[in-house]
Amino acid sequence: VFLKVDSKVVTMIHELKMSILAEGVETEKQATMLAENGCDYFQGFFYSKPIRGELFLDVVKNNRVAALEQKQ
């Protein structure tokens, strides 16, 4: 997968006091490249496969990352 981040767009978004969310991150290499180029937040299979809403709430409320890892 080829990724390109336009530094001018990143600068503009940050100057507007907005954050950048990168979707579809599947590898550590992608996450690293995006972070190095100014992306603020990430989501994708690299972090978690899709999970049920109840499990997500449990993970967030109780900081239960281990529960998330067991369900995958």
Side-chain angles (χ1 to χ4, degrees):
V1 175
F2 176 74
L3 298 172
K4 182 177 179 183
V5 177
D6 187 327
S7 62
K8 291 178 184 177
V9 173
V10 169
T11 299
M12 178 188 68
I13 291 169
H14 286 150
E15 286 177 355
L16 292 170
K17 306 292 186 226
M18 298 175 73
S19 299
I20 300 170
L21 168 67
E23 297 181 337
V25 178
E26 296 183 2
T27 67
E28 183 175 3
K29 183 177 179 180
Q30 289 174 337
T32 299
M33 189 279 304
L34 289 162
E36 289 172 351
N37 284 278
C39 291
D40 303 298
Y41 301 99
F42 314 92
Q43 69 182 44
F45 284 172
F46 177 64
Y47 299 99
S48 174
K49 302 285 191 245
I51 59 173
R52 296 183 334 274
E54 314 85 60
L55 178 58
F56 173 77
L57 291 175
D58 183 47
V59 169
V60 172
K61 286 181 181 177
N62 301 305
N63 195 23
R64 295 187 51 184
V65 176
L68 179 61
E69 292 168 349
Q70 292 172 2
K71 297 293 181 181
Q72 297 199 29

